[in-house]
Amino acid sequence: MPLALCLAVTVSPGRTGEQLHVCKESEYHYEYTACDSSGSRWRVAVPHTPGLCTGLPDPVRGTECSFSCKAGEFLEMQTQMCRPCAEGTYSLGTGVRFDEWDEVPHGFANVATNMEVDDSFGDVAENCTASTWVPLGDYVASNTDECMATLMYAVSLKQSGTVTFEYIYPDSSIVFEFFVQNDQCQPTVEESRWMRTTEKGWEFHSVELSRGNNVLYWRTTAFSVWSKVPKPVLVRNIGITGVAFTSECFPCKPGTFAPAAGSAACQPCPADTFSGKGATACQPCDPETYAEPGSGSCKPRPPCTDKDFFYTHTACDADGETQLMYKWAEPKICSEELPQAAQLPPSGIKTRCPPCNPGFAKGNGSTCQPCPYGSYSNGSACLSCPEGTEPALGLEYKWWNVLPPNMETTVLSGINFEYKGIAGWEVAGDYIYTAAGASDSDFMILTLVVPGFSPPSPVLEDTESREVARITFVFETLCSVGCELYFMVGVNSRTNTPVETWTGSTGKQSYTYLVEKNATMSFTWAFQRTPYHEAGRRFTSDVAKLYSINVTNVQGGVASFCRRCAPQPTGSCAPCSPGSAVDPSSGTCQPCPSGTYLRSHPSDGTPTCHPCGPGTCSNQLRSLCYNNCSLALALPGRMLRFEFPSLGMGAGVGTGPSFTPKGLPYSHHFRLSLCGHQGRKMASCADNVTAGRGGPAHVVTSYVCQAIVVPPDITGARAAVSSQPISLGDYLLGVTTSSVLDNIVSPPELFPPGHPDLPDIIFFFRSNDMTQPCSGGRATTIRLRCDPLHLGTGTLAVPRWGGDTGDPEGGFTWPRHLLLSGLGTSLGCFALETPLSQCQCPSLLGVILAVPSKCPEGTCDGCTFHFLWVTAEGCPRCSSFHHRPIVGACIGGVQKTTYVWREPRLCHGGDALPPQVIQACRSMDFWLKVGISTGTCVAVLLAALAAYFWKKTQKLEYKYSKLVMDAVARESDATSPDSCAIMEGEDAEDELLFATEMSLFGKFKALTAKRMPDGFDSVPLKTSSSSTKQEL
């Protein structure tokens, strides 16, 4: 006999020898033994208390292991036949359901653990024991911190089955996964592991289960990188089928009922009714009490207050008048009969209706009708557009007498997240505002649906801005607590993505969102007064107001003005061809000149030609401006030319790891593409958190983008988890060496100084995403700095700068943790903090991309991001300016001239160094001998001349003295011509000087005078009586 059959005759050792009575039917129950290899089993009787009685029924062969009952039935073990469940009960037939979450049901395990982080962070990581799933009545809510919370349930299936549940997953900041493992801990449904975010309320999820042991996992991990607490994941109505049979039916929980036998589920009680456990019908509440749908009891009605009603305006009547009215907030749970209860105020007096909205005019009746195509209106009357113009179609709402037909409003419960079917927003003349909900945690929903768009010119794929249309609204929030206003955008009624959130009182302001996809779009405003679930209304005075909504280029819209267009022979207008714009003077389409691009005018959307920024050029279609990976830079006395084609291929870089308060590591990952490709954006960042169930990941494509990355070893995924991608640069403003462009500043002090003779090249980008803190859109500056030692674009890393705490020279210092992307670099050089000059890894001969040390996440204000890109591609092309000659010595009659780079070398590529020049020369010894010989000859000649002139001077002085003496002696004689002659015995070759004193030049002239033909020298004499000179 099998061991299991022994259960029927087991007795308690403590009762041995006593006389046991025969077991009654109430003292035992039936169970099945485990299935054998043939799929058979036995039905045995098992006493409730072993050893209390004897005479149990004999075991009988049971049903086949694959036997099961239908939903609404149970297996009666005594007859082994399926019976319908009684009224007030239900069953799944072959499964179980968990729909009551006042506490975690039996069989579930609820655990929370820290992420696997480095041991060095163990002291700062907070404890996660309290970060588990929280049961909240009808559902269970996940954690909202960085701990890993896991809800587990183990079940053994006798046959293949399914697990189903409903969930709300509103925030992708939480990583939500559901997976199933078998008894070997192997995943069985990996393809549906990562859950997709929900857009509108509860979504249903179903997964097939295999026969045997299955362990179900609901796991969440949040990371509040932006210092914002994410909204939790909610799960309810977990059902599991495939357990082969159900031996009993389950009673309906309080607040539900099953009116007929054989029910597979219980129905909730309607409002103002209640029921107990196992009810077959709901009971009405007394008039002085109330109950919400699905309540197990009634509550006393509180006295009405001024927070239980709101005001609205009636539609215009035939006389063109409207009236202020007050209404009770739905559902009305207060009582007007109680003492001190507030009464509904009387209706106000009638006033004139506001004018129609732009593009509308009043027809025969009092209602506003849209103006026909080809006309426009400011709200008073429809006027035809002048010739050469066309209506600028759109939608503009600034008067709120009735809710427009393409708008709808409702209320989403903040407790069970069910839509209540009541109005959440009410019109109030010059604005529309949030009414009072059932509770302060309700979401007041307002949705505008636009069927499509018709831009004035085709939106090209490679245009600078893919703007199809734009929506601008003016709003205000008045709050006493932490209210939140959400603006969400949906595409084709399938998604509803939050775009912007405002918290608390904001004041009256405007917000603009650019539409880049031509599809049916829905724009939703959701206002929640407080996220805390409390019954009643305490903060109904906290409201959100919308004053105006303006949507451009609406397909089938109306016009408030007309814009110029290119007329056609038929009299209609047609858009200009790509690259052309309407000339205001002639009214014809004219191609935009080179260096300009088409940009829509912000007031009317008419495309016009605008000049490109510095360092950029326009593409062929004049749809955008881009840099073709080259730049000409004029500096004093020289022209530098840059070429950096490698930087246009796109590059990725990640910051060092950051840690949340719970110890979760994450990093910021950036993708960049600077130039080339005719301006096409080559950088893309993805959100793969919500890409489960075969759906595509959300991808952002731009020139510069950013995403939050969590390592795969932390989340257990096969790849790194990338989340929250944003664009940091949708169009290029310009490339220049100036630190300021279009009000974007690239502070040079954020990075170490560069070379004084070569400025950094700065790329300026701006994004189209306008957020609450970044009203002008995000911006990015990328400094391109020359370093000829860093070639190529292989591996990119994010170093932090040394100087104070690293390299004493102020150079790069590599951090201990890096996120790398590129060509698979070895991490040998990154083990320690090593100055770049000492790092010998060949892979580092590439670019270096750095973020500011003062702003380690790349931005100091969250709006403008700054990068430094150090690479050889940032150097100008080498030219004759960058090298200098070195002339060698003349050795053996040969002289060499060698050209070398100027230090520091600040060029790359371009012209190579000129070859060495070799020329003949004479040696230094030869020229030395020639110099000495020439000097000696000159010295001898000068000495001889000096001696000769000294001798002549002596003779002339003697003769001169003698003549003077003779002349004085004869002054006493009779007047006669003064004359003299050479006496006998005197040297005939001697010369005479003038009687008067002569200059040195005169002396030299006298020495060279010629003798007279008679052999005498001619001597000019001065007589005593006259100054006349005579020649003797």
Side-chain angles (χ1 to χ4, degrees), residues 439-470:
S439 69
D440 292 331
S441 62
D442 289 347
F443 292 90
M444 320 307 289
I445 308 295
L446 178 67
T447 302
L448 168 65
V449 179
V450 178
F453 303 94
S454 56
S457 60
V459 179
L460 304 177
E461 185 68 20
D462 59 348
T463 187
E464 177 199 68
S465 173
R466 300 177 186 175
E467 178 183 344
V468 175
R470 63 174 57 195

PDB file of all heavy atoms in Angstrom, residues 439-470:
ATOM      1  N   SER A 439     -12.903  63.283  -4.108  1.00  0.00           N
ATOM      2  CA  SER A 439     -11.894  63.414  -3.061  1.00  0.00           C
ATOM      3  C   SER A 439     -10.772  64.281  -3.613  1.00  0.00           C
ATOM      4  O   SER A 439     -10.660  64.498  -4.822  1.00  0.00           O
ATOM      5  CB  SER A 439     -11.359  62.046  -2.617  1.00  0.00           C
ATOM      6  OG  SER A 439     -10.596  61.452  -3.647  1.00  0.00           O
ATOM      7  N   ASP A 440      -9.941  64.764  -2.709  1.00  0.00           N
ATOM      8  CA  ASP A 440      -8.860  65.648  -3.123  1.00  0.00           C
ATOM      9  C   ASP A 440      -7.763  64.927  -3.893  1.00  0.00           C
ATOM     10  O   ASP A 440      -6.930  65.577  -4.532  1.00  0.00           O
ATOM     11  CB  ASP A 440      -8.250  66.331  -1.895  1.00  0.00           C
ATOM     12  CG  ASP A 440      -9.227  67.303  -1.253  1.00  0.00           C
ATOM     13  OD1 ASP A 440     -10.067  67.849  -1.979  1.00  0.00           O
ATOM     14  OD2 ASP A 440      -9.146  67.504  -0.021  1.00  0.00           O
ATOM     15  N   SER A 441      -7.754  63.601  -3.833  1.00  0.00           N
ATOM     16  CA  SER A 441      -6.727  62.860  -4.565  1.00  0.00           C
ATOM     17  C   SER A 441      -7.167  62.501  -5.982  1.00  0.00           C
ATOM     18  O   SER A 441      -6.399  61.879  -6.716  1.00  0.00           O
ATOM     19  CB  SER A 441      -6.369  61.579  -3.804  1.00  0.00           C
ATOM     20  OG  SER A 441      -7.500  60.731  -3.701  1.00  0.00           O
ATOM     21  N   ASP A 442      -8.382  62.882  -6.379  1.00  0.00           N
ATOM     22  CA  ASP A 442      -8.843  62.586  -7.730  1.00  0.00           C
ATOM     23  C   ASP A 442      -8.075  63.413  -8.756  1.00  0.00           C
ATOM     24  O   ASP A 442      -7.625  64.534  -8.473  1.00  0.00           O
ATOM     25  CB  ASP A 442     -10.337  62.878  -7.858  1.00  0.00           C
ATOM     26  CG  ASP A 442     -11.184  61.868  -7.095  1.00  0.00           C
ATOM     27  OD1 ASP A 442     -10.625  60.833  -6.693  1.00  0.00           O
ATOM     28  OD2 ASP A 442     -12.381  62.120  -6.886  1.00  0.00           O
ATOM     29  N   PHE A 443      -7.961  62.845  -9.958  1.00  0.00           N
ATOM     30  CA  PHE A 443      -7.350  63.546 -11.079  1.00  0.00           C
ATOM     31  C   PHE A 443      -8.453  64.181 -11.919  1.00  0.00           C
ATOM     32  O   PHE A 443      -9.346  63.492 -12.411  1.00  0.00           O
ATOM     33  CB  PHE A 443      -6.534  62.584 -11.940  1.00  0.00           C
ATOM     34  CG  PHE A 443      -5.308  62.051 -11.275  1.00  0.00           C
ATOM     35  CD1 PHE A 443      -5.358  60.881 -10.527  1.00  0.00           C
ATOM     36  CD2 PHE A 443      -4.091  62.714 -11.385  1.00  0.00           C
ATOM     37  CE1 PHE A 443      -4.226  60.383  -9.915  1.00  0.00           C
ATOM     38  CE2 PHE A 443      -2.951  62.226 -10.766  1.00  0.00           C
ATOM     39  CZ  PHE A 443      -3.020  61.048 -10.025  1.00  0.00           C
ATOM     40  N   MET A 444      -8.388  65.492 -12.085  1.00  0.00           N
ATOM     41  CA  MET A 444      -9.352  66.218 -12.898  1.00  0.00           C
ATOM     42  C   MET A 444      -8.782  66.283 -14.314  1.00  0.00           C
ATOM     43  O   MET A 444      -7.763  66.945 -14.566  1.00  0.00           O
ATOM     44  CB  MET A 444      -9.597  67.615 -12.334  1.00  0.00           C
ATOM     45  CG  MET A 444      -9.667  67.659 -10.789  1.00  0.00           C
ATOM     46  SD  MET A 444     -10.865  66.487 -10.086  1.00  0.00           S
ATOM     47  CE  MET A 444     -12.378  67.261 -10.568  1.00  0.00           C
ATOM     48  N   ILE A 445      -9.452  65.609 -15.251  1.00  0.00           N
ATOM     49  CA  ILE A 445      -8.911  65.391 -16.584  1.00  0.00           C
ATOM     50  C   ILE A 445      -9.617  66.293 -17.591  1.00  0.00           C
ATOM     51  O   ILE A 445     -10.854  66.396 -17.598  1.00  0.00           O
ATOM     52  CB  ILE A 445      -9.074  63.919 -17.013  1.00  0.00           C
ATOM     53  CG1 ILE A 445      -8.495  62.981 -15.928  1.00  0.00           C
ATOM     54  CG2 ILE A 445      -8.413  63.670 -18.351  1.00  0.00           C
ATOM     55  CD1 ILE A 445      -7.021  63.100 -15.737  1.00  0.00           C
ATOM     56  N   LEU A 446      -8.820  66.936 -18.460  1.00  0.00           N
ATOM     57  CA  LEU A 446      -9.331  67.710 -19.587  1.00  0.00           C
ATOM     58  C   LEU A 446      -8.519  67.318 -20.816  1.00  0.00           C
ATOM     59  O   LEU A 446      -7.281  67.367 -20.784  1.00  0.00           O
ATOM     60  CB  LEU A 446      -9.210  69.210 -19.329  1.00  0.00           C
ATOM     61  CG  LEU A 446      -9.671  70.138 -20.465  1.00  0.00           C
ATOM     62  CD1 LEU A 446     -11.184  70.031 -20.661  1.00  0.00           C
ATOM     63  CD2 LEU A 446      -9.254  71.584 -20.190  1.00  0.00           C
ATOM     64  N   THR A 447      -9.201  66.936 -21.903  1.00  0.00           N
ATOM     65  CA  THR A 447      -8.524  66.423 -23.092  1.00  0.00           C
ATOM     66  C   THR A 447      -8.995  67.170 -24.327  1.00  0.00           C
ATOM     67  O   THR A 447     -10.206  67.365 -24.518  1.00  0.00           O
ATOM     68  CB  THR A 447      -8.775  64.922 -23.264  1.00  0.00           C
ATOM     69  OG1 THR A 447      -8.313  64.231 -22.094  1.00  0.00           O
ATOM     70  CG2 THR A 447      -8.030  64.379 -24.475  1.00  0.00           C
ATOM     71  N   LEU A 448      -8.038  67.592 -25.147  1.00  0.00           N
ATOM     72  CA  LEU A 448      -8.301  68.213 -26.446  1.00  0.00           C
ATOM     73  C   LEU A 448      -7.785  67.269 -27.532  1.00  0.00           C
ATOM     74  O   LEU A 448      -6.620  66.858 -27.496  1.00  0.00           O
ATOM     75  CB  LEU A 448      -7.597  69.568 -26.551  1.00  0.00           C
ATOM     76  CG  LEU A 448      -7.530  70.210 -27.933  1.00  0.00           C
ATOM     77  CD1 LEU A 448      -8.926  70.570 -28.431  1.00  0.00           C
ATOM     78  CD2 LEU A 448      -6.633  71.445 -27.909  1.00  0.00           C
ATOM     79  N   VAL A 449      -8.628  66.923 -28.485  1.00  0.00           N
ATOM     80  CA  VAL A 449      -8.272  66.002 -29.569  1.00  0.00           C
ATOM     81  C   VAL A 449      -8.187  66.787 -30.874  1.00  0.00           C
ATOM     82  O   VAL A 449      -9.123  67.513 -31.233  1.00  0.00           O
ATOM     83  CB  VAL A 449      -9.297  64.857 -29.693  1.00  0.00           C
ATOM     84  CG1 VAL A 449      -8.913  63.922 -30.833  1.00  0.00           C
ATOM     85  CG2 VAL A 449      -9.379  64.077 -28.373  1.00  0.00           C
ATOM     86  N   VAL A 450      -7.058  66.640 -31.573  1.00  0.00           N
ATOM     87  CA  VAL A 450      -6.839  67.285 -32.869  1.00  0.00           C
ATOM     88  C   VAL A 450      -6.697  66.189 -33.914  1.00  0.00           C
ATOM     89  O   VAL A 450      -5.843  65.298 -33.767  1.00  0.00           O
ATOM     90  CB  VAL A 450      -5.586  68.181 -32.841  1.00  0.00           C
ATOM     91  CG1 VAL A 450      -5.333  68.808 -34.204  1.00  0.00           C
ATOM     92  CG2 VAL A 450      -5.738  69.262 -31.785  1.00  0.00           C
ATOM     93  N   PRO A 451      -7.503  66.202 -34.980  1.00  0.00           N
ATOM     94  CA  PRO A 451      -7.461  65.086 -35.935  1.00  0.00           C
ATOM     95  C   PRO A 451      -6.188  64.996 -36.742  1.00  0.00           C
ATOM     96  O   PRO A 451      -5.837  63.922 -37.231  1.00  0.00           O
ATOM     97  CB  PRO A 451      -8.673  65.369 -36.839  1.00  0.00           C
ATOM     98  CG  PRO A 451      -8.884  66.852 -36.739  1.00  0.00           C
ATOM     99  CD  PRO A 451      -8.508  67.217 -35.341  1.00  0.00           C
ATOM    100  N   GLY A 452      -5.478  66.076 -36.949  1.00  0.00           N
ATOM    101  CA  GLY A 452      -4.255  66.080 -37.749  1.00  0.00           C
ATOM    102  C   GLY A 452      -3.834  67.501 -38.023  1.00  0.00           C
ATOM    103  O   GLY A 452      -4.453  68.472 -37.542  1.00  0.00           O
ATOM    104  N   PHE A 453      -2.779  67.655 -38.814  1.00  0.00           N
ATOM    105  CA  PHE A 453      -2.209  68.976 -39.043  1.00  0.00           C
ATOM    106  C   PHE A 453      -1.915  69.161 -40.530  1.00  0.00           C
ATOM    107  O   PHE A 453      -1.697  68.193 -41.266  1.00  0.00           O
ATOM    108  CB  PHE A 453      -0.930  69.156 -38.229  1.00  0.00           C
ATOM    109  CG  PHE A 453      -1.128  68.943 -36.751  1.00  0.00           C
ATOM    110  CD1 PHE A 453      -0.898  67.697 -36.172  1.00  0.00           C
ATOM    111  CD2 PHE A 453      -1.563  69.973 -35.941  1.00  0.00           C
ATOM    112  CE1 PHE A 453      -1.086  67.493 -34.824  1.00  0.00           C
ATOM    113  CE2 PHE A 453      -1.762  69.774 -34.585  1.00  0.00           C
ATOM    114  CZ  PHE A 453      -1.527  68.536 -34.027  1.00  0.00           C
ATOM    115  N   SER A 454      -1.910  70.418 -40.949  1.00  0.00           N
ATOM    116  CA  SER A 454      -1.592  70.770 -42.328  1.00  0.00           C
ATOM    117  C   SER A 454      -0.636  71.948 -42.309  1.00  0.00           C
ATOM    118  O   SER A 454      -1.054  73.107 -42.387  1.00  0.00           O
ATOM    119  CB  SER A 454      -2.871  71.124 -43.097  1.00  0.00           C
ATOM    120  OG  SER A 454      -3.568  72.173 -42.441  1.00  0.00           O
ATOM    121  N   PRO A 455       0.667  71.700 -42.179  1.00  0.00           N
ATOM    122  CA  PRO A 455       1.640  72.793 -42.149  1.00  0.00           C
ATOM    123  C   PRO A 455       1.674  73.519 -43.486  1.00  0.00           C
ATOM    124  O   PRO A 455       1.352  72.952 -44.529  1.00  0.00           O
ATOM    125  CB  PRO A 455       2.970  72.085 -41.847  1.00  0.00           C
ATOM    126  CG  PRO A 455       2.754  70.676 -42.275  1.00  0.00           C
ATOM    127  CD  PRO A 455       1.310  70.384 -42.047  1.00  0.00           C
ATOM    128  N   PRO A 456       2.059  74.812 -43.492  1.00  0.00           N
ATOM    129  CA  PRO A 456       2.051  75.587 -44.743  1.00  0.00           C
ATOM    130  C   PRO A 456       3.050  75.095 -45.775  1.00  0.00           C
ATOM    131  O   PRO A 456       2.895  75.360 -46.958  1.00  0.00           O
ATOM    132  CB  PRO A 456       2.386  77.009 -44.271  1.00  0.00           C
ATOM    133  CG  PRO A 456       3.073  76.827 -42.963  1.00  0.00           C
ATOM    134  CD  PRO A 456       2.455  75.623 -42.340  1.00  0.00           C
ATOM    135  N   SER A 457       4.089  74.374 -45.350  1.00  0.00           N
ATOM    136  CA  SER A 457       5.054  73.809 -46.288  1.00  0.00           C
ATOM    137  C   SER A 457       5.413  72.418 -45.804  1.00  0.00           C
ATOM    138  O   SER A 457       5.320  72.119 -44.604  1.00  0.00           O
ATOM    139  CB  SER A 457       6.306  74.688 -46.386  1.00  0.00           C
ATOM    140  OG  SER A 457       6.934  74.798 -45.117  1.00  0.00           O
ATOM    141  N   PRO A 458       5.834  71.534 -46.700  1.00  0.00           N
ATOM    142  CA  PRO A 458       6.165  70.165 -46.273  1.00  0.00           C
ATOM    143  C   PRO A 458       7.284  70.167 -45.238  1.00  0.00           C
ATOM    144  O   PRO A 458       8.250  70.929 -45.332  1.00  0.00           O
ATOM    145  CB  PRO A 458       6.611  69.487 -47.583  1.00  0.00           C
ATOM    146  CG  PRO A 458       6.015  70.315 -48.670  1.00  0.00           C
ATOM    147  CD  PRO A 458       5.983  71.714 -48.149  1.00  0.00           C
ATOM    148  N   VAL A 459       7.133  69.322 -44.241  1.00  0.00           N
ATOM    149  CA  VAL A 459       8.148  69.169 -43.203  1.00  0.00           C
ATOM    150  C   VAL A 459       9.083  68.055 -43.638  1.00  0.00           C
ATOM    151  O   VAL A 459       8.684  66.889 -43.722  1.00  0.00           O
ATOM    152  CB  VAL A 459       7.517  68.849 -41.838  1.00  0.00           C
ATOM    153  CG1 VAL A 459       8.602  68.667 -40.786  1.00  0.00           C
ATOM    154  CG2 VAL A 459       6.569  69.966 -41.432  1.00  0.00           C
ATOM    155  N   LEU A 460      10.322  68.423 -43.967  1.00  0.00           N
ATOM    156  CA  LEU A 460      11.283  67.457 -44.465  1.00  0.00           C
ATOM    157  C   LEU A 460      11.915  66.695 -43.314  1.00  0.00           C
ATOM    158  O   LEU A 460      11.965  67.161 -42.174  1.00  0.00           O
ATOM    159  CB  LEU A 460      12.360  68.169 -45.286  1.00  0.00           C
ATOM    160  CG  LEU A 460      11.819  69.024 -46.451  1.00  0.00           C
ATOM    161  CD1 LEU A 460      12.961  69.745 -47.150  1.00  0.00           C
ATOM    162  CD2 LEU A 460      11.048  68.165 -47.439  1.00  0.00           C
ATOM    163  N   GLU A 461      12.450  65.529 -43.651  1.00  0.00           N
ATOM    164  CA  GLU A 461      13.027  64.662 -42.625  1.00  0.00           C
ATOM    165  C   GLU A 461      14.274  65.274 -42.010  1.00  0.00           C
ATOM    166  O   GLU A 461      14.551  65.106 -40.835  1.00  0.00           O
ATOM    167  CB  GLU A 461      13.365  63.299 -43.238  1.00  0.00           C
ATOM    168  CG  GLU A 461      13.853  62.271 -42.238  1.00  0.00           C
ATOM    169  CD  GLU A 461      12.777  61.825 -41.263  1.00  0.00           C
ATOM    170  OE1 GLU A 461      11.581  62.014 -41.587  1.00  0.00           O
ATOM    171  OE2 GLU A 461      13.122  61.292 -40.197  1.00  0.00           O
ATOM    172  N   ASP A 462      15.046  66.002 -42.823  1.00  0.00           N
ATOM    173  CA  ASP A 462      16.316  66.543 -42.327  1.00  0.00           C
ATOM    174  C   ASP A 462      16.223  68.032 -42.028  1.00  0.00           C
ATOM    175  O   ASP A 462      17.210  68.738 -42.082  1.00  0.00           O
ATOM    176  CB  ASP A 462      17.434  66.292 -43.348  1.00  0.00           C
ATOM    177  CG  ASP A 462      17.123  66.945 -44.702  1.00  0.00           C
ATOM    178  OD1 ASP A 462      15.977  67.365 -44.889  1.00  0.00           O
ATOM    179  OD2 ASP A 462      18.036  67.024 -45.538  1.00  0.00           O
ATOM    180  N   THR A 463      15.026  68.507 -41.758  1.00  0.00           N
ATOM    181  CA  THR A 463      14.892  69.923 -41.455  1.00  0.00           C
ATOM    182  C   THR A 463      15.445  70.239 -40.079  1.00  0.00           C
ATOM    183  O   THR A 463      15.585  69.348 -39.226  1.00  0.00           O
ATOM    184  CB  THR A 463      13.412  70.344 -41.526  1.00  0.00           C
ATOM    185  OG1 THR A 463      13.322  71.762 -41.380  1.00  0.00           O
ATOM    186  CG2 THR A 463      12.618  69.694 -40.418  1.00  0.00           C
ATOM    187  N   GLU A 464      15.791  71.510 -39.878  1.00  0.00           N
ATOM    188  CA  GLU A 464      16.352  71.906 -38.584  1.00  0.00           C
ATOM    189  C   GLU A 464      15.370  71.631 -37.458  1.00  0.00           C
ATOM    190  O   GLU A 464      15.706  71.069 -36.429  1.00  0.00           O
ATOM    191  CB  GLU A 464      16.690  73.396 -38.627  1.00  0.00           C
ATOM    192  CG  GLU A 464      17.206  73.927 -37.289  1.00  0.00           C
ATOM    193  CD  GLU A 464      17.108  75.422 -37.212  1.00  0.00           C
ATOM    194  OE1 GLU A 464      15.983  75.942 -37.163  1.00  0.00           O
ATOM    195  OE2 GLU A 464      18.156  76.070 -37.204  1.00  0.00           O
ATOM    196  N   SER A 465      14.154  71.992 -37.640  1.00  0.00           N
ATOM    197  CA  SER A 465      13.104  71.722 -36.667  1.00  0.00           C
ATOM    198  C   SER A 465      11.951  71.040 -37.389  1.00  0.00           C
ATOM    199  O   SER A 465      11.399  71.586 -38.336  1.00  0.00           O
ATOM    200  CB  SER A 465      12.615  73.021 -36.020  1.00  0.00           C
ATOM    201  OG  SER A 465      11.508  72.779 -35.200  1.00  0.00           O
ATOM    202  N   ARG A 466      11.597  69.844 -36.959  1.00  0.00           N
ATOM    203  CA  ARG A 466      10.514  69.104 -37.594  1.00  0.00           C
ATOM    204  C   ARG A 466       9.158  69.547 -37.052  1.00  0.00           C
ATOM    205  O   ARG A 466       8.277  68.742 -36.811  1.00  0.00           O
ATOM    206  CB  ARG A 466      10.714  67.608 -37.381  1.00  0.00           C
ATOM    207  CG  ARG A 466      12.025  67.080 -37.950  1.00  0.00           C
ATOM    208  CD  ARG A 466      12.198  65.604 -37.655  1.00  0.00           C
ATOM    209  NE  ARG A 466      13.514  65.134 -38.063  1.00  0.00           N
ATOM    210  CZ  ARG A 466      13.976  63.917 -37.843  1.00  0.00           C
ATOM    211  NH1 ARG A 466      13.216  63.040 -37.211  1.00  0.00           N
ATOM    212  NH2 ARG A 466      15.175  63.568 -38.234  1.00  0.00           N
ATOM    213  N   GLU A 467       9.026  70.824 -36.861  1.00  0.00           N
ATOM    214  CA  GLU A 467       7.789  71.349 -36.289  1.00  0.00           C
ATOM    215  C   GLU A 467       6.653  71.230 -37.289  1.00  0.00           C
ATOM    216  O   GLU A 467       6.680  71.835 -38.364  1.00  0.00           O
ATOM    217  CB  GLU A 467       7.988  72.803 -35.875  1.00  0.00           C
ATOM    218  CG  GLU A 467       6.728  73.441 -35.316  1.00  0.00           C
ATOM    219  CD  GLU A 467       6.927  74.900 -34.976  1.00  0.00           C
ATOM    220  OE1 GLU A 467       8.096  75.330 -34.877  1.00  0.00           O
ATOM    221  OE2 GLU A 467       5.916  75.603 -34.820  1.00  0.00           O
ATOM    222  N   VAL A 468       5.667  70.460 -36.930  1.00  0.00           N
ATOM    223  CA  VAL A 468       4.448  70.352 -37.726  1.00  0.00           C
ATOM    224  C   VAL A 468       3.432  71.372 -37.240  1.00  0.00           C
ATOM    225  O   VAL A 468       2.702  71.966 -38.038  1.00  0.00           O
ATOM    226  CB  VAL A 468       3.886  68.920 -37.644  1.00  0.00           C
ATOM    227  CG1 VAL A 468       2.561  68.819 -38.368  1.00  0.00           C
ATOM    228  CG2 VAL A 468       4.884  67.928 -38.207  1.00  0.00           C
ATOM    229  N   ALA A 469       3.389  71.573 -35.968  1.00  0.00           N
ATOM    230  CA  ALA A 469       2.477  72.541 -35.360  1.00  0.00           C
ATOM    231  C   ALA A 469       3.003  72.839 -33.967  1.00  0.00           C
ATOM    232  O   ALA A 469       3.999  72.255 -33.515  1.00  0.00           O
ATOM    233  CB  ALA A 469       1.050  72.002 -35.315  1.00  0.00           C
ATOM    234  N   ARG A 470       2.326  73.726 -33.276  1.00  0.00           N
ATOM    235  CA  ARG A 470       2.675  74.013 -31.886  1.00  0.00           C
ATOM    236  C   ARG A 470       1.399  74.354 -31.122  1.00  0.00           C
ATOM    237  O   ARG A 470       0.451  74.906 -31.675  1.00  0.00           O
ATOM    238  CB  ARG A 470       3.697  75.139 -31.769  1.00  0.00           C
ATOM    239  CG  ARG A 470       3.245  76.477 -32.286  1.00  0.00           C
ATOM    240  CD  ARG A 470       4.274  77.561 -31.996  1.00  0.00           C
ATOM    241  NE  ARG A 470       5.575  77.255 -32.554  1.00  0.00           N
ATOM    242  CZ  ARG A 470       6.691  77.891 -32.205  1.00  0.00           C
ATOM    243  NH1 ARG A 470       6.651  78.855 -31.293  1.00  0.00           N
ATOM    244  NH2 ARG A 470       7.842  77.567 -32.764  1.00  0.00           N
TER     245      ARG A 470
END
